[in-house]
Amino acid sequence: MQNVQRIGMLVLLAILSMACNEKKKEEKKPPIEEKKPHIVFVTGDEEYRSEESMPMLARLAKRELDAKVTICYALDSAGYIAPNRTDHIAGLEALEDADLMVIFTRYRTLPEQERNHIVDYAESGRPIVGFRTATHAFKYENDSSLVYWNDEWPTKVFGQQWITHHGHFDDGANPLTKVVTIEDQEAHPILNGFEPMETFSWLYHVNGGDWKLYGDSNPILQGTSLKSKHQMEGNLDQYPMTNPVAWTKSYTGKSGKPSRVFFTTLGHPYDFKLAGVRKIALNGIYWALERENEIPENGANVSLDVAYEPNNSGFGQRYKPMQKPQQIE
């Protein structure tokens, strides 16, 4: 009987020892690290200095979301940033493994291979954040087979095409649009920390008259023009003084998977000097990545670690010359 008890005790000790060893092995397993979101910023406009504002926003996204960020630029043959070059944006292959595309382009005439990187991303069902001139991201005038990309594509993806605006006036010298929350949208997470503000972007027309935002677009901010050529010309029935300046929507492409889309028609380079505009932009990135629960009650932290001193908007040689591409490591 004593032998049986001894054997039983030995078996029990062996089982306990094995269990302890297994527990130690489990404790030694390294924690599973969450994958950093890869955000690709696509720049390329000859008017609004996206080559300056988007790197600033990329720094904030890297710091606040612990994101990997890649910035794509229009470059000349020597590798310098060349906003006036419409037929090339370098590095678009980064979109193949991106978790979010942030796009701020204007009237690009990209070759098919480069355009397809952008289009394939949109069709994949992954999220998108768009700024201002992305309503006219492409412009193909010499090939009738490509006109789909000029108006119809941005309308479906972003919610509207290029129509008109209320006029430049005193560009950069004075605010031109007052921005407030749309009634019943105050609780939207993108608006965490939002306060009414006056911005330097002249108001784009996207809704009203003969035009309507596309699909399930849900406006969350509206702007009122502070100085309007359409008012001066008596055209307010067609182009009212108040229009949406930010909205959310979905886009379902070939994948069949609906993507989250956040779009704002704000985007003047001086707009991003305003903490309120930076906050809306970064909150929108959180929301697009389905991380709206992480947006602080007062909005994302948009304090700047690096000075943001952009050139003013404008065509021609208004951009900073001889600038090499920045990547945020």
Side-chain angles (χ1 to χ4, degrees):
M1 184 67 179
Q2 288 179 345
N3 287 339
V4 171
Q5 287 176 337
R6 278 199 296 272
I7 292 169
M9 288 294 293
L10 289 171
V11 170
L12 180 59
L13 288 171
I15 292 170
L16 289 172
S17 176
M18 289 172 64
C20 287
N21 288 336
E22 287 298 319
K23 188 175 181 181
K24 286 179 182 177
K25 287 179 183 177
E26 288 177 8
E27 289 174 352
K28 289 179 181 178
K29 286 181 181 178
I32 298 172
E33 292 187 9
E34 287 189 11
K35 177 180 175 287
K36 291 185 177 184
H38 181 197
I39 306 175
V40 176
F41 291 78
V42 181
T43 74
D45 90 281
E46 67 276 41
E47 184 177 10
Y48 292 110
R49 312 286 84 84
S50 62
E51 74 279 0
E52 296 197 65
S53 59
M54 292 301 98
M56 176 275 294
L57 187 56
R59 284 193 184 88
L60 294 178
K62 177 178 173 58
R63 185 187 72 196
E64 296 304 311
L65 289 107
D66 191 28
K68 173 186 175 183
V69 294
T70 301
I71 309 166
C72 304
Y73 299 90
L75 301 179
D76 65 17
S77 58
Y80 291 102
I81 296 172
N84 293 337
R85 181 178 180 183
T86 66
D87 64 349
H88 175 55
I89 297 176
L92 290 172
E93 60 275 5
L95 289 168
E96 293 175 7
D97 69 358
D99 298 297
L100 172 65
M101 175 174 69
V102 179
I103 182 168
F104 195 159
T105 64
R106 180 186 186 277
Y107 284 159
R108 300 294 100 172
T109 57
L110 299 181
E112 181 178 12
Q113 184 177 7
E114 292 187 18
R115 184 183 69 246
N116 281 348
H117 284 302
I118 295 172
V119 172
D120 290 349
Y121 178 92
E123 295 299 311
S124 73
R126 287 171 286 170
I128 306 169
V129 170
F131 289 96
R132 198 157 176 83
T133 52
T135 60
H136 39 297
F138 303 117
K139 188 172 187 178
Y140 296 99
E141 296 182 293
N142 300 320
D143 186 340
S144 60
S145 69
L146 299 178
V147 294
Y148 169 80
W149 307 109
N150 297 347
D151 295 330
E152 190 172 348
W153 183 80
T155 297
K156 290 178 177 178
V157 175
F158 302 124
Q160 194 50 278
Q161 64 177 68
W162 162 246
I163 303 167
T164 185
H165 59 61
H166 283 263
H168 293 218
F169 305 106
D170 308 329
D171 182 9
N174 297 296
L176 287 172
T177 300
K178 181 178 180 180
V179 179
V180 299
T181 304
I182 288 179
E183 190 176 353
D184 299 330
Q185 293 298 317
E186 294 89 349
H188 198 289
I190 293 177
L191 300 182
N192 283 9
F194 174 78
E195 297 288 343
M197 58 187 172
E198 293 185 352
T199 65
F200 292 88
S201 290
W202 37 93
L203 182 66
Y204 271 16
H205 180 78
V206 296
N207 204 46
D210 295 332
W211 301 90
K212 184 179 179 182
L213 282 172
Y214 183 81
D216 61 356
S217 296
N218 177 46
I220 59 174
L221 287 176
Q222 67 183 12
T224 299
S225 181
L226 299 175
K227 194 172 184 180
S228 168
K229 70 174 184 178
H230 292 300
Q231 183 183 40
M232 297 172 186
E233 295 167 358
N235 291 332
L236 293 184
D237 286 345
Q238 279 294 309
Y239 309 116
M241 294 276 282
T242 296
N243 244 246
V245 296
W247 58 87
T248 61
K249 69 182 295 290
S250 66
Y251 172 68
T252 303
K254 292 179 180 178
S255 70
K257 177 185 175 184
S259 60
R260 281 190 171 196
V261 179
F262 169 65
F263 197 90
T264 176
T265 58
L266 301 176
H268 189 285
Y270 291 178
D271 281 353
F272 291 101
K273 291 183 176 183
L274 305 172
V277 172
R278 298 197 301 271
K279 189 167 291 192
I280 291 302
L282 194 54
N283 287 357
I285 286 174
Y286 272 93
W287 177 86
L289 288 168
E290 299 187 33
R291 294 175 61 171
E292 60 266 37
N293 291 337
E294 298 175 35
I295 303 174
E297 185 178 348
N298 292 325
N301 176 14
V302 293
S303 61
L304 297 176
D305 300 320
V306 177
Y308 173 65
E309 298 172 345
N311 281 16
N312 198 2
S313 69
F315 298 103
Q317 302 301 312
R318 298 289 291 274
Y319 62 92
K320 292 183 173 79
M322 305 298 289
Q323 296 289 307
K324 284 288 188 177
Q326 300 179 48
Q327 291 299 340
I328 315 300
E329 300 298 335

